[in-house]
DNA sequence: CAATTATTCAAGATATATATAGAATACTTG
DNA sequence: CAAGTATTCTATATATATCTTGAATAATTG
């Protein structure tokens, strides 16, 4: 196999995989499955796709090794092939949320609607931590936490949050943070923890902003 | 803005960005630009696209905020918007090369054609390092190097290799490694360094395999 | 075994993406 | 300012993707 032939095969394969996830409906399905296995019915129910259409999208994802299925009784359950894909997906989401201007605007607007009046500033955070009963939660991927985090924060990456609720004392004021105002991880964490009955708010800034503030005051 | 409306806008925006990179020709262009700024002519020259077609692909990438352009004299130079995208791209490549069976086969076949008979095993590596004149080169992104690397290795990420040749002594036996047998970074490094006249081979395994071996022998 | 339920398949209409060819623009050089 | 070069634009043919509809399959229940 010659160089060009190899390149063509490589780029064709990669493009094929990317095409499989380049569709709004399939992205929504991926997002759903990232929270765990779902039946076709479950997917149809929350996406407003028809059965036939959802099934077609699932076939595309399956043919590209992104999801797998198993049959139990008359139901077919779909799930992501593995966590590596999830990590890629999160990187893509992160990039997109930071870089695509339109998306950025939509997201910040959405955040205003939902959470802005409740978000904690860095100054407030300092006071609250001094005051006492606060749990500061870093929901970025653990790699990023290890490279640096806000003093006193504990790390539970967003994709592990649901399975690690036991590590969050339910009597504390939880403050979730991530990479900054345009990162959605903390928003997702707030949403999930609220549903589970926690007292939780997000930091309006993120680790990068905190880091800069630290550096400047020293 | 209501929940569904938000979701739709978000998934539509993300899908649009992904579609922009879901094309073999555009992936090849991205790969080229990840090594630095290029003129349209440069791209046409190495890709075998026509001018008009290359230009169209570049417009797609530009409209999706993936590349930027600047004009100097009669030439237009394109480059990636920023390094964040590069990091996403590398994650995608990594996932694809590990997960897509077809791609995996193509890649390992390619490696056999080119390098397999020359690849260094972990056992050989140990002997060579004891023997002396060896430079062990980690070509993974620097974040990964910082989280752990083979003892004695120096870090030059693949995308910085071309601009850091001065740090590689030309009289040494260079051994490049990355994430393992299905990762292509070391292959690319071997190719580039060979062209530049270095004595270079790749490790047939990668850091993860080395790490496991270390753990087991202790 | 007929009826029901969950899912997939197949065919067609519409929309989008791609490559090609030729024209248009815009800058540079003589 | 005319000629040349680099790049982009426009139009078109072809290929691919998407959604809809209705039928087919396959397991379960009565």
């Amino acid at each position: 196999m010659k160089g060009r032939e190899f390149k063509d095969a490589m780029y064709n394969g990669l493009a094929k995989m990317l095409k499989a996830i380049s569709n709004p409906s399939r992205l929504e399905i991926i997002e759903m499955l990232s929270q765990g296995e779902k039946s076709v019915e479950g997917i149809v129910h929350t996406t407003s796709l028809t059965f036939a259409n959802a099934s077609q999208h699932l076939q595309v994802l399956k043919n590209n090794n992104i999801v797998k299925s198993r049959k139990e009784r008359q139901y077919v359950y779909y799930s992501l092939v593995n966590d590596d894909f999830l990590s890629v997906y999160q990187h893509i989401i992160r990039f997109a949320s930071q870089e695509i201007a339109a998306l950025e605007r939509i997201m910040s607007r959405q955040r205003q609607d939902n959470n802005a009046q409740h978000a904690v500033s860095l100054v407030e955070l300092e006071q609250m931590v001094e005051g006492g009963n606060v749990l500061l939660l870093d929901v970025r991927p653990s790699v990023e936490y290890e490279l640096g985090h806000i003093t006193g924060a504990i790390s539970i990456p967003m994709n592990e949050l649901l399975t690690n609720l036991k590590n969050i004392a339910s009597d504390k004021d939880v403050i979730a943070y991530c990479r900054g105002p345009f990162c959605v991880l903390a928003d997702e964490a707030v949403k999930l923890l609220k549903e589970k009955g926690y007292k939780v708010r997000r930091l309006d800034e993120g680790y990068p902003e905190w880091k800069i503030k630290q550096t400047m005051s020293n």
Side-chain angles (χ1 to χ4, degrees), chain A:
Chain A
M1 197 186 277
K2 288 290 178 305
R4 172 123 297 274
E5 223 177 305
F6 169 64
K7 276 192 178 174
D8 287 350
M10 151 109 183
Y11 293 123
N12 285 335
L14 194 47
K16 188 165 166 289
M17 188 278 269
L18 287 170
K19 269 197 180 125
I21 64 172
S22 302
N23 172 282
S25 301
R26 291 200 288 273
L27 286 170
E28 191 172 2
I29 290 172
I30 289 167
E31 180 81 38
M32 281 192 67
L33 296 184
S34 75
Q35 288 159 37
E37 191 180 67
K38 295 275 184 304
S39 66
V40 179
E41 193 186 16
I43 290 162
V44 167
H45 186 249
T46 57
T47 54
S48 75
L49 295 170
T50 63
F51 265 94
N53 200 3
S55 180
Q56 280 178 344
H57 284 306
L58 285 164
Q59 296 319 306
V60 172
L61 292 174
K62 196 174 168 182
N63 292 335
N64 284 277
N65 254 298
I66 291 159
V67 308
K68 58 178 190 279
S69 65
R70 83 187 163 82
K71 190 155 194 179
E72 188 184 306
R73 304 166 57 93
Q74 72 266 61
Y75 304 95
V76 178
Y77 293 92
Y78 283 87
S79 57
L80 295 183
V81 161
N82 65 24
D83 287 350
D84 288 356
F85 176 76
L86 199 55
S87 145
V88 175
Y89 175 71
Q90 283 165 347
H91 271 264
I92 294 169
I93 289 270
R94 174 186 176 183
F95 171 78
S97 65
Q98 288 179 346
E99 293 305 318
I100 298 175
L103 210 51
E104 215 167 87
R105 265 181 274 115
I106 290 159
M107 283 179 170
S108 57
R109 204 179 318 143
Q110 170 73 359
R111 186 166 313 116
Q112 276 176 355
D113 291 354
N114 289 347
N115 302 320
Q117 65 275 41
H118 304 298
V120 179
S121 71
L122 281 171
V123 179
E124 282 177 274
L125 175 70
E126 216 167 307
Q127 295 163 350
M128 288 178 75
V129 169
E130 280 169 18
N133 205 34
V134 168
L135 187 142
L136 186 56
L137 183 61
D138 187 322
V139 294
R140 298 174 301 159
S142 54
V143 175
E144 293 177 51
Y145 176 87
E146 281 152 23
L147 289 173
H149 54 265
I150 300 183
T151 309
I154 68 164
S155 167
I156 308 182
M158 184 55 215
N159 62 328
E160 296 166 17
L161 191 54
L162 195 56
T163 54
N164 278 283
L165 289 176
K166 60 182 180 304
N167 298 329
I168 306 177
S170 59
D171 61 323
K172 296 219 171 171
D173 288 318
V174 180
I175 298 174
Y177 76 89
C178 50
R179 300 156 183 143
F182 295 120
C183 169
V184 292
L185 290 172
D187 290 327
E188 290 169 13
V190 166
K191 182 161 172 289
L192 192 153
L193 291 176
K194 261 191 186 154
E195 285 170 10
K196 297 295 174 183
Y198 286 88
K199 273 198 298 182
V200 57
R201 297 160 69 187
R202 72 162 279 159
L203 199 62
D204 63 356
E205 311 276 4
Y207 171 72
E209 290 82 6
W210 177 85
K211 180 73 186 167
I212 288 163
K213 217 179 154 211
Q214 289 299 109
T215 313
M216 283 176 36
S217 62
N218 289 340

